[in-house]
Amino acid sequence: MKDVKCECGHVNPHGTVLCEACGKVLVEESPDKSLLDMRYEGSARRSQTYNKTIVDKIWNFFSSVKVGVWLIVITLVASAAGTILPQEMYIPPTMPAEEYYEDQYGWFGKLYYELDFNNLYSSWWYLILIAMIGISLVICSLDRVVPLYKALKAQRVTRHEGFLKRQRLFGISENGDHDDLAVVKQRLQAKRYHVREENGDLLAEKNRFSRWGPYVNHVGLIIFLIGGMLRFVPGMYIDKVLWLREGETKVVPETDGQYYVANEKFILENYDKDKDKTFEAAIDRAGMVVKNYQTNAVLYKRVGPAIPGEQPELEKVKEHKIRVNQPLKFESFALYQVDYKLDELNTMSFSLTNKESGKAFGDIKVNLYDPKPKYDLGNGYAVEVLSFFPDFEFSENGEPTTKSRIPNNPAFVFKMISPEVPKGETSFVAIQQTIEPLGDNQYKMAFKGIETKNVTALTVRKDLTIWIIIIGGILFMIGVIQGAYWNHRRIWVQNKNGEVWIAAHTNKNWYGLKKEIESTILETKLIIPDDQMQKERNDKEGV
């Protein structure tokens, strides 16, 4: 495909509709159309010129605005589907995700899980949709901005007659003279137009930068999408919840075992009805209103290498009172206070007791998060833990089972060993009750009491993508402002056979441009150009 040389001497790329230099119509796309399509200056766009190779076809597909809109619509629908049920990261870790969705939401929950909607925003097909939107934005922008920039850069002051006549604002003055043109030039410069003069002709232009607003907008969106996709790259974004009991020390997730955090004490403060009158109505309605909840935390760092099976040596780094919006920060991590649970079961105490005499032969205290397999009471007495059900319930077939790993309703199957029964007897004990379905025993495990602890929930957050997303958002807003609050205006004033032709174009706000021309030619012999589009409408309506 060869380039097209205009009669003005300028060589235009194949597919150019209007000569980039003089504006002559090279390809008449719609002969019956009186006004020119100036959206891209009639420049040659790659998507409208080449369609042979596979690269051309891919380029043309993604350069279509309709394709971009449909990709956005499909992504929005998919995103909405991901909000119907909670994502897996937000469900309680009480049971496997597959069982949780079916248990809580029935057949729909099971289907939701099988379609992989439980991790929708990190699924491969959702990421492909986001990537396709990014590709569409890049190709759409390049397909338009490059030829538009070249056409605006190459435009000359003196334009072809056909170009001027087919502008929306156009008028011919028969009595204009050189003095009028000098006045017009001076006034245009006063209105901050960049005025170029050639052979007595004028081209006044301002706010060309507003034409790049949509493309700056696109760049911002592309950077924003890149930042969003980087969140799925390991180590770039972390958002996990760490439950920590009072007195407990745990490794901070995603730190490769380098950092540990300890919950020294959890504090909950409520508003006092008598002292805080502002919250009196809320306290009467809800029973209590939380004033503050915080975790007195200590951050440790591991010293030396981690040895499997051994407790790591820890070095204190810092202490911090973690409150809402007052996180503990270190390196790129931050620990936020997000939730709590008061009086969670921690230990249960039992007594090995003779059923007839009621005599106790020893007590045991069972840690509900780390029960020992056997407790030796001495003198031939011992207790073994055969089964442990942290959240006890009976299944549909009557078998004991647990709903979760959290000790909300703990139950045990104990084997009681004594000198009288060295082979042991079995006892099934739940909280505050002893169940005897397992035979006629001489001994029983009598429930004695419980100990509780407060539990805090800390969000472990690391976000190395936020600055990329912020930059994308700022660029997006700059593009919106750039294109919304300014408009590209051009005014051509030219001598044609003793007459003065005035033509003008803008990408929006034609009324403002016409008023600006009126004030520019005021008290001169030049006439105000007509709005040819409005004139056509009036002719059609018979006005």
Side-chain angles (χ1 to χ4, degrees), residues 106-160:
W107 67 268
F108 182 75
K110 182 179 181 180
L111 178 64
Y112 197 83
Y113 179 84
E114 290 176 348
L115 292 175
D116 203 26
F117 279 14
N118 57 307
N119 287 310
L120 185 141
Y121 303 113
S122 59
S123 61
W124 63 269
W125 60 270
Y126 187 82
L127 293 179
I128 287 177
L129 278 177
I130 299 297
M132 289 177 71
I133 292 176
I135 293 171
S136 177
L137 285 171
V138 171
I139 293 180
C140 272
S141 300
L142 291 177
D143 191 58
R144 290 160 174 79
V145 71
V146 173
L148 176 62
Y149 172 78
K150 289 180 178 179
L152 290 175
K153 186 178 180 181
Q155 63 178 336
R156 294 176 182 172
V157 174
T158 303
R159 306 307 291 264
H160 192 271

Side-chain angles (χ1 to χ4, degrees), residues 164-165 167-173 184 490-493 500-505 510-511 513-522 524-535:
L164 299 175
K165 288 180 179 179
Q167 294 300 319
R168 177 169 170 174
L169 295 183
F170 176 71
I172 298 177
S173 301
V184 168
R490 283 175 291 175
I491 301 173
W492 295 274
V493 183
V500 177
W501 289 20
I502 299 179
H505 179 268
W510 290 92
Y511 177 80
L513 176 60
K514 189 171 183 180
K515 285 295 182 182
E516 201 164 49
I517 295 175
E518 288 179 9
S519 64
T520 301
I521 65 176
L522 187 67
T524 67
K525 302 183 190 67
L526 304 178
I527 66 171
I528 300 171
D530 295 325
D531 187 337
Q532 299 196 88
M533 181 176 289
Q534 186 63 45
K535 188 176 180 180

Side-chain angles (χ1 to χ4, degrees), residues 47 130 155 185 228 230 284 290 296 330 356 377 379 381 446 453 462 468 517 543:
S47 61
I130 299 297
Q155 63 178 336
K185 179 180 179 180
L230 283 176
D284 289 337
V290 175
N296 294 344
F330 63 99
E356 292 185 1
L377 303 178
N379 300 322
Y381 294 95
K453 281 189 176 182
K462 175 184 178 182
I468 301 175
I517 295 175
V543 178

